[in-house]
Amino acid sequence: MTDLFNMLATYLHEVFVIKFDGWVILGFVAQGLFTMRFVVQWIASERARKSVIPVAFWFFSIGGGILLLIYALYRRDPVFIAGQSLGLVVYFRNLYFIIVNGRQSSIKS
């Protein structure tokens, strides 16, 4: 059991201490922006007492998505690159619809 804990401690030290650099900071900032989209959606829904998606959700999605794509490109992770690239298309398209059709922030739940 001690060996398992030592292996886990060694792994966590390598991931969170040895490999910690500016790119990891960028990745955490990007993930923070991406996570904020859910926070603003949650707050807006609580205030409206129904499911809504505020425009800020799409801006946080785009900001976090772009930074996560940059991070994924640097890390050369094809799964991450594909996921963020396709997601960005959806985020920009939804923002385009909001601009063209006017603000629509609620979805019937």
Side-chain angles (χ1 to χ4, degrees):
M1 190 62 127
T2 305
D3 288 340
L4 180 63
F5 286 124
N6 285 337
M7 287 175 27
L8 179 61
T10 301
Y11 173 80
L12 293 174
H13 183 264
E14 181 181 335
V15 170
F16 289 102
V17 177
I18 295 173
K19 292 190 174 189
F20 194 85
D21 60 8
W23 285 102
V24 173
I25 293 170
L26 174 73
F28 277 122
V29 168
Q31 192 60 54
L33 282 176
F34 205 69
T35 300
M36 281 303 299
R37 69 194 199 130
F38 296 112
V39 173
V40 299
Q41 192 273 329
W42 176 34
I43 292 169
S45 293
E46 288 295 324
R47 287 183 178 161
R49 306 303 298 163
K50 63 182 180 178
S51 181
V52 298
I53 300 177
V55 175
F57 177 91
W58 301 113
F59 284 108
F60 277 114
S61 296
I62 290 168
I66 288 171
L67 290 179
L68 284 170
L69 178 58
I70 291 168
Y71 180 77
L73 289 167
Y74 173 76
R75 295 289 181 194
R76 298 174 185 233
D77 185 326
V79 174
F80 207 6
I81 292 167
Q84 290 305 318
S85 298
L86 295 173
L88 282 168
V89 171
V90 173
Y91 310 146
F92 276 111
R93 185 73 172 154
N94 282 322
L95 197 55
Y96 168 78
F97 286 141
I98 291 168
I99 292 167
V100 169
N101 299 321
R103 185 174 179 169
Q104 180 183 4
S105 63
S106 65
I107 295 177
K108 294 185 180 184
S109 48

